Amino acid sequence: MMHRSFKMMVIPLLSLISFTACSYLPTASTSPIQQLEQVQNIEALPNTKTNLATLSRSNSGCLIQFTGYFDGGESTETWYFKKNQLKKASSETYQYVVNQNHLAATSKPMVDSKTRRATTFDIQNPDVTNNFNKLKSHFSQNALARCA
């Protein structure tokens, strides 16, 4: 009888230890994004006051983020591609908060989150593909080769 109650205590205890050990083991993490190149004030439509485009790479492919700054707001396009093949593309546009001071850390106006407008691009549309290729052309061949 005593032997049986000992087993009843040990089994749950061992289970608890094994579950705890599993929760402390490192898990496979997503790969960090590595910035490859950044270009500023490229020719883009619609016209922007300033703009910034960044080419980055992760294990799952590459992305270009293009942010254009306008008088009343900003828009960021994100283009995901792998081996020169466009996988998905989208944009987010925000208006700036009217009559607000700039953010001290970045010296840029605050965006009004209530004005967010998100768009998913149709990557089968030739105009979208042409825009992607034009945006890619602003980066060096050396940086783009690291996305292949």
Side-chain angles (χ1 to χ4, degrees), residues 9-124:
M9 280 183 15
V10 170
I11 291 174
L13 182 60
L14 289 175
S15 297
L16 178 64
I17 290 170
S18 65
F19 288 130
T20 303
C22 289
S23 68
Y24 283 106
L25 291 175
T27 57
S29 63
T30 59
S31 65
I33 293 178
Q34 175 190 17
Q35 183 175 314
L36 300 176
E37 189 175 2
Q38 191 174 63
V39 293
Q40 292 180 324
N41 299 325
I42 62 176
E43 184 179 320
L45 291 176
N47 289 330
T48 60
K49 287 175 65 175
T50 60
N51 61 54
L52 179 68
T54 305
L55 173 64
S56 302
R57 183 181 96 180
S58 72
N59 282 349
S60 59
C62 284
L63 67 97
I64 295 173
Q65 281 195 303
F66 172 80
T67 301
Y69 302 94
F70 308 95
D71 281 326
E74 63 188 61
S75 184
T76 300
E77 297 175 352
T78 305
W79 304 80
Y80 296 93
F81 63 103
K82 188 168 187 173
K83 295 186 180 181
N84 215 25
Q85 180 68 40
L86 183 60
K87 298 296 182 183
K88 65 180 178 176
S90 61
S91 72
E92 283 188 333
T93 303
Y94 293 93
Q95 298 299 312
Y96 292 134
V97 175
V98 180
N99 297 326
Q100 286 288 326
N101 294 329
H102 288 34
L103 295 172
T106 61
S107 182
K108 77 174 204 174
M110 291 176 43
V111 295
D112 182 352
S113 61
K114 292 181 268 176
T115 64
R116 178 181 182 263
R117 192 175 78 230
T119 303
T120 300
F121 299 137
D122 175 7
I123 63 172
Q124 302 304 319

